[in-house]
Amino acid sequence: MSAVLEVEGVGKRYGAVQALADVSFSTDAGEVVAVIGPNGAGKTTLLSIIAGSLAADSGDVRPAPERVGWAPQQAALYARLTVAENLELFARLERVPDPRAAVAAMLAQTELTERSGTLVGELSGGNRQRVNVALALIAQPPVLALDEPSAALDPAQRERLWRFVSGLAARGTAIVFSTHNVNEAQRYAQRAIVLADGRMLFDGTPDALLAAQPEAGADLERALVLFLEARARAAPAG
Amino acid sequence: MRWLLTKDLRILGRSRLLVALLVVYPVVIALLIGLALSRGPGRPRVAVVDETPPGETVQVGTERVEVHRYVQQLFDQLDAIEVPTREQAVAKVRSGGALAAVVIPPNIVTKASSGTEQGELELIYNGDALEQSLVQSQLSSALAEANLGFSKQIQDVAAQAIDQLLKGGNLSEIGAPADLVGLEQIPALLARVIAHQRPGPDRDALQRVATFADFAAQNLTLSKRVLASVGQPIKVRSTLLHGRRTPLDTFAVVVAVSISLMFISVLLAAGAIALEREEHALHRLLRGLVRVRVLLAEKCALAGGCGFVVALAMLAGVGAFVPLRWGRFPLWLAALALGAAAFAALGVAIGVLAREVRAASLLAFLLSLPLAFLALVPRGAVARGIYDSINVISFVFPYKAALQALDAAVNGSAPAIGGSLAHLAVLALAFSVLAGAGLARSR
C-alpha cells in the first residue's frame, strides 16, 4: 500500500527550545496513528506542521496542507455562526465543488443535522468538537490530523467520536491523532509514535511498545512511562 | 474574500449592541467635540459694583462724559450682575453665583481726570488655577474692550471741541463770546484786510499772523486724526497665506466626521482580526485557505467600508444644517475612502499586535483618542519642541492626514488635498505591511 502522508526530517525550534528534531514517518491510507508522549514533547507542533498551520524550520511534509484535514485542540469555529454556516464557509474556502451538498452530507455523517441552525456558541463541548472534526473533513481529505480530539469530552461523547473516526479510517482516510490518553492509542490506533523533547523515540504498534516493556503487562500507559524512564537513564550514558 | 466578508457582516449583524456602540459612541463623541469647537466660550458671569456717585462725569474740553457709560460698556462684555456693595460682590464670588467681581471705586473719576494717575478697578475672583486663568483672561479682554469703547467716546468729544475751534460759531458754553470766528476762517479774513494795507511793518505783521493761523488750523485738523490713532494705535489687517479660510463651524463638522471615521474603522478592524485569533480560526484560515494579504484586505474592506458609510452619512446629514460645498462631493469620497483605508490598516495592525478582542479594542481606543487631540493642538499653544514632537506623532498615524484631507475636500482649505491623500495611501500601505509581518511572524 502506498503512503498518503510522508513526514521527512521535520525540525522546529522556538528560540532556544528545540520543539521537534528530525522527525520522519509515513502513513498509509486507512491507517490510524497515535502520537503520544509527555507534555512539551512536540505533539501539537508536529500535527500543526502536518496541517500547514505552522511552518517547519527543516524537513518536508507531503501532501500539501490543502489535502490534510485539521481539527486543532481548541475548536476553531465561529461562535456567532450556526453549525451549517461554519461548514458552508469552510466548504467554500476549501473550494468544494458543491458546498451545500457537502454541508448536508457532513451534517448527516456527524449526526448534526438537527443542530444545523444552532449557533456554535450555544453547543455543548462534545458537539463543538464534532463540528470541529466535521470542518476538517468537509473537503474529504485523504489525511486527517486530530490534535487531542477527545480532551474535552465525556466518556459517551468520546466513544461516539472514536466510532466516527474509526468509520472514516475504514473508508480509507489516514488518521494521525495526538493524545494524553494512552488507552485511546491502545484501543483505536494501529501504530503509536512516541515523542519526547521533540525527538521521535518509537514508531511501531502498541503491542510492540508493550513487548519492549514486559514488566508493564498489558498496560500501555505503564509501558510508555517505563520506556521513557529507560530512555532518560540511557541518554546521559549515550 | 467575498465569503469572509459575508461571514464578518453576518457576525456583525448578530452583534447589534456592538454595532450600536460602534456607531452611536463615535458619533456622540464627535458631535460633542464638534460643538465644543464651533461654539466659543460664553460671556463670563461677573458681579459689578459701581461705587461712583450717580451722574459722575469726566470733563473733556467743552463736554462731560458720563462714567456710567463706561460701566455700560463693561456690562456689554460680561454677563453682569449689578450688586450694590463690595461685600455682596465677594459673597457672590464665594458662593459660585459669579465667576468674579469687578469693583469700580468712587475715586476713579478723580484719578482718571488728574492727568497724573490712572483710574483703577478692583478684580475679585476665586477657584482653582485653571478657573483663575480663565477668569483673568476673559476679564482682561472684557476690560480692554470697555476701555477701548470709553476711550472712543472721549476721543469723539475731544474731536468735537477741536472742530468747534476750527469752524467757530457760538461757543458761549465755554465762556467765549457769541459768534466766535473759527481758526480756519482767520487766514481768509486777514488776507482781505492785508489786501487793503500799504506795504510796511503793519502789513508784514498781519501777514505773519495770517500764516500762523493757517498753520495752526492745518495742525488742529491733523490732531483729530492723531487722536483717533492714539485710541487704537494698531489696526489689524489679516492675510491668509494659502488656501481658503475655513469657518469654525464647518471645520468642526470635519473634525466630528473624521473622529467618527477613525473610531469605527480602527476599532472594527482591530476587533475583527483579533476575533479570528480568539476563535482559533486564524491558523485554520492561514494554512493555505486564505492568503495573509487577502485576509488583511478583507478586514480593511469591512472596517473601512463601515467607517466610510457612517462618516459619509454623517457628513451628508450635517450638510442639511451647515452650508457645505456639494460641488466638491467627489473629493469628499476620495478623502473618506483613503482615510478609512488608513484607519482600517492601523486597526488591523493593532488587532494583530493585541491578539484578543478586548485588548485590541482597548488599545485601539487608547491610541485613537490622544491622536485626535494631538492633531487638534494649534501651533503656538505649546512649546516649540513639544509641538515638533506632536507633529512627528501626527505624521506617523493617519488622523491628522485624514483631517487635513477632509478639510481640504470639504472646505477647500490648505494644504492641498493631493499631499494628504498620498500621505494616507502611504500610511495605509505601511500599516498593512506591518500587520502582514505580524501575522506571518505569529505562524
Side-chain angles (χ1 to χ4, degrees):
Chain A
M1 195 177 283
S2 64
V4 290
L5 171 69
E6 289 181 272
V7 177
E8 285 177 13
V10 166
K12 178 75 182 176
R13 179 178 278 279
Y14 295 115
V17 178
Q18 185 74 48
L20 279 181
D22 196 27
V23 174
S24 299
F25 69 94
S26 63
T27 309
D28 292 335
E31 195 174 16
V32 180
V33 177
V35 180
I36 54 177
N39 281 341
K43 301 187 293 292
T44 295
T45 302
L46 176 61
L47 265 77
S48 299
I49 288 172
I50 291 171
S53 150
L54 199 63
D57 294 338
S58 58
D60 197 19
V61 176
R62 281 184 302 274
E66 295 81 19
R67 304 267 295 149
V68 177
W70 181 47
Q73 191 171 349
Q74 284 169 306
L77 305 166
Y78 295 106
R80 286 199 182 86
L81 294 186
T82 65
V83 172
E85 286 166 351
N86 266 287
L87 289 171
E88 187 178 338
L89 169 67
F90 282 95
R92 292 192 185 280
L93 293 176
E94 300 255 17
R95 294 178 183 80
V96 171
D98 186 348
R100 299 233 162 126
V103 170
M106 196 47 60
L107 286 170
Q109 206 175 340
T110 50
E111 300 171 25
L112 283 166
T113 307
E114 284 182 10
R115 298 281 189 170
S116 65
T118 308
L119 292 179
V120 163
E122 295 169 3
L123 291 178
S124 67
N127 281 335
R128 281 173 70 96
Q129 188 60 297
R130 282 159 76 190
V131 181
N132 194 28
V133 174
L135 281 185
L137 292 168
I138 193 80
Q140 297 184 316
V143 179
L144 182 60
L146 304 171
D147 191 4
E148 303 272 2
S150 60
L153 306 184
D154 63 32
Q157 288 170 331
R158 270 205 299 273
E159 187 61 35
R160 198 158 50 182
L161 173 79
W162 286 116
R163 219 173 31 236
F164 175 66
V165 170
S166 300
L168 289 173
R171 288 193 292 275
T173 307
I175 291 163
V176 182
F177 71 94
S178 67
T179 183
H180 273 104
N181 187 342
V182 180
N183 291 332
E184 284 183 342
Q186 191 169 14
R187 285 179 67 186
Y188 304 110
Q190 284 120 41
R191 264 170 70 198
I193 288 173
V194 177
L195 285 182
D197 297 328
R199 294 182 185 281
M200 195 170 88
L201 304 181
F202 178 87
D203 180 4
T205 63
D207 288 343
L209 187 58
L210 282 171
Q213 306 295 328
E215 61 271 47
D219 185 348
L220 187 64
E221 189 161 354
R222 174 120 180 89
L224 176 66
V225 172
L226 291 172
F227 174 80
L228 291 172
E229 284 174 355
R231 294 293 297 216
R233 279 195 301 274
Chain B
M1 179 146 116
R2 177 185 158 201
W3 302 114
L4 280 178
L5 201 54
T6 308
K7 178 267 294 181
D8 278 336
L9 287 172
R10 193 172 269 162
I11 290 176
L12 205 57
R14 285 178 186 158
S15 315
R16 288 191 187 138
L17 181 63
L18 176 70
V19 174
L21 273 177
L22 273 174
V23 174
V24 172
Y25 178 78
V27 168
V28 168
I29 289 283
L31 288 178
L32 285 175
I33 292 173
L35 274 175
L37 277 177
S38 63
R39 302 197 188 282
R43 291 186 302 174
R45 193 169 169 77
V46 174
V48 179
V49 188
D50 183 5
E51 292 181 337
T52 56
E56 185 87 73
T57 56
V58 177
Q59 179 78 41
V60 182
T62 62
E63 296 280 330
R64 303 191 74 82
V65 178
E66 282 183 41
V67 174
H68 182 70
R69 287 166 76 175
Y70 172 73
V71 179
Q72 197 54 50
Q73 294 273 356
L74 188 58
F75 274 24
D76 289 346
Q77 305 300 320
L78 307 167
D79 180 7
I81 318 160
E82 205 167 354
V83 287
T85 64
R86 185 181 183 283
E87 288 67 32
Q88 280 175 290
V90 169
K92 279 269 178 210
V93 176
R94 279 195 202 287
S95 68
L99 209 55
V102 174
V103 181
I104 304 167
N107 63 356
I108 191 165
V109 172
T110 320
K111 285 195 172 178
S113 308
S114 70
T116 54
E117 284 185 272
Q118 275 186 307
E120 214 173 73
L121 296 177
E122 186 188 3
L123 174 62
I124 302 162
Y125 57 91
N126 205 355
D128 58 27
L130 198 63
E131 207 170 285
Q132 286 173 20
S133 162
L134 177 75
V135 168
Q136 273 189 329
S137 105
Q138 286 193 328
L139 272 176
S140 296
S141 156
L143 288 170
E145 284 289 321
N147 281 342
L148 196 63
F150 192 56
S151 130
K152 177 78 171 55
Q153 286 170 19
I154 292 173
Q155 279 168 44
D156 289 348
V157 169
Q160 209 180 334
I162 290 170
D163 228 31
Q164 281 183 328
L165 282 175
L166 282 169
K167 292 190 166 60
N170 190 357
L171 306 180
S172 55
E173 321 90 78
I174 57 167
D179 196 22
L180 199 68
V181 67
L183 199 52
E184 282 176 344
Q185 297 148 2
I186 290 175
L189 286 174
L190 282 177
R192 283 204 296 275
V193 172
I194 289 166
H196 295 101
Q197 288 284 321
R198 286 183 190 163
D202 289 345
R203 183 178 169 139
D204 291 345
L206 277 174
Q207 187 58 55
R208 286 180 66 197
V209 172
T211 305
F212 166 75
D214 188 39
F215 179 74
Q218 281 178 32
N219 279 284
L220 266 180
T221 306
L222 179 70
S223 71
K224 278 166 68 181
R225 293 206 295 272
V226 170
L227 264 179
S229 66
V230 167
Q232 192 176 356
I234 295 169
K235 211 166 108 181
V236 177
R237 180 167 56 88
S238 305
T239 305
L240 191 61
L241 283 181
H242 47 60
R244 177 175 170 267
R245 189 182 168 275
T246 303
L248 197 54
D249 53 353
T250 55
F251 181 69
V253 170
V254 167
V255 170
V257 170
S258 56
I259 285 178
S260 286
L261 181 69
M262 173 179 67
F263 268 121
I264 295 172
S265 304
V266 174
L267 282 169
L268 202 53
I273 196 80
L275 184 69
E276 296 287 1
R277 198 190 288 273
E278 204 168 91
E279 304 255 49
H280 309 290
L282 195 60
H283 287 287
R284 200 194 276 279
L285 292 174
L286 293 181
R287 62 179 208 101
L289 301 186
V290 177
R291 289 183 184 174
V292 167
R293 66 167 182 269
V294 172
L295 183 68
L296 293 179
E298 183 268 326
K299 298 303 173 204
C300 287
L302 170 82
C306 291
F308 177 87
V309 168
V310 173
L312 186 61
M314 209 175 146
L315 197 52
V318 173
F321 304 99
V322 177
L324 298 177
R325 298 159 76 187
W326 287 88
R328 302 177 67 85
F329 188 73
L331 292 176
W332 299 8
L333 296 183
L336 287 177
L338 273 166
F343 286 135
L346 170 65
V348 167
I350 290 172
V352 168
L353 181 75
R355 290 168 173 257
E356 59 174 70
V357 177
R358 273 178 289 189
S361 307
L362 187 63
L363 186 57
F365 182 80
L366 290 179
L367 193 63
S368 300
L369 207 55
L371 282 180
F373 282 115
L374 285 181
L376 293 172
V377 172
R379 188 194 302 271
V382 291
R384 192 175 167 180
I386 296 173
Y387 187 74
D388 289 344
S389 310
I390 288 174
N391 265 345
V392 171
I393 295 169
S394 295
F395 186 80
V396 295
F397 289 101
Y399 182 73
K400 193 163 188 177
L403 179 68
Q404 286 175 338
L406 203 55
D407 193 22
V410 173
N411 299 313
S413 62
I417 191 168
S420 301
L421 292 181
H423 188 182
L424 286 171
V426 169
L427 288 178
L429 189 67
F431 282 114
S432 300
V433 169
L434 270 179
L439 273 185
R441 200 169 162 222
S442 71
R443 296 187 68 208

